[in-house]
Amino acid sequence: MNVKLATTSDSLELIAFKLNDQSFCVKTRSIREIRGWTPVTPLPHAPYEVLGVVNLRGTVIPIIDLAVKLGMAGTVASERSAIIVTDVNNMTLGLLVEGVSDILTVPAESLQPVPQTAIQSAKFAEGILSHQGAMICFLNLEELFSSTISLSGGGGGGGGDAGWQEF
């Protein structure tokens, strides 16, 4: 478990977002920018969570459907969707989310450990925050993307209509 005991002066700066109407958050320091949805160029034989790639100021980056990566139903991109561009494990990735909901600064001691019954989830979750009556899962992007994304030999190449289909 990665939850550290913190002094009262420690705080967490987080960005909160929605996936399948559930709240998640990540540390702001790993975020490069937040962009509106833009269509992607699909890649043949990409892993199912990889929707495709976009050109970000001269750099081609993969766009990951974060809901699919977490084992949830895929996100249907809309004008409210956002791409969170992040640097994680020496990779630049775009994460498709339903929408960014808030930027939070919360006391570090408000982070609760993942319950023991959900210990398999603990690998990808730093903990759980209770904020304004909502439960927010604090994701560990470094663990979630601990292995290098391979853009070859995958399943369907995306979770949306824009992805490749194999017959």
Side-chain angles (χ1 to χ4, degrees), residues 12-151:
L12 299 169
E13 292 185 7
L14 309 168
I15 187 157
F17 52 88
K18 296 279 189 176
L19 294 171
N20 291 324
D21 292 324
Q22 295 179 31
S23 296
F24 294 88
C25 65
V26 294
K27 296 175 189 171
T28 57
R29 69 181 159 139
S30 65
I31 307 300
R32 282 182 44 184
E33 65 182 275
I34 300 169
R35 304 174 48 88
W37 168 249
T38 184
V40 300
T41 300
L43 296 173
H45 299 286
Y48 190 69
E49 69 268 10
V50 178
L51 297 174
V53 294
V54 297
N55 186 336
L56 180 65
R57 290 180 293 285
T59 302
V60 176
I61 64 168
I63 304 300
I64 310 297
D65 186 336
L66 189 54
V68 172
K69 182 72 174 173
L70 293 170
M72 304 165 74
T75 302
V76 177
S78 70
E79 65 277 350
R80 294 189 46 113
S81 298
I83 296 174
I84 300 173
V85 180
T86 183
D87 288 323
V88 59
N89 297 335
N90 298 315
M91 298 182 291
T92 300
L93 308 170
L95 306 175
L96 174 64
V97 299
E98 285 177 8
V100 173
S101 54
D102 211 347
I103 296 174
L104 307 169
T105 301
V106 296
E109 65 268 7
S110 65
L111 184 63
Q112 300 295 314
V114 176
Q116 288 293 342
T117 56
I119 199 66
Q120 183 133 0
S121 301
K123 181 177 180 181
F124 304 126
E126 292 277 340
I128 305 293
L129 291 169
S130 180
H131 182 71
Q132 297 179 345
M135 299 295 281
I136 304 172
C137 181
F138 180 25
L139 294 176
N140 181 331
L141 293 180
E142 289 78 19
E143 283 294 326
L144 190 59
F145 294 102
S146 62
S147 63
T148 304
I149 293 176
S150 169
L151 296 180

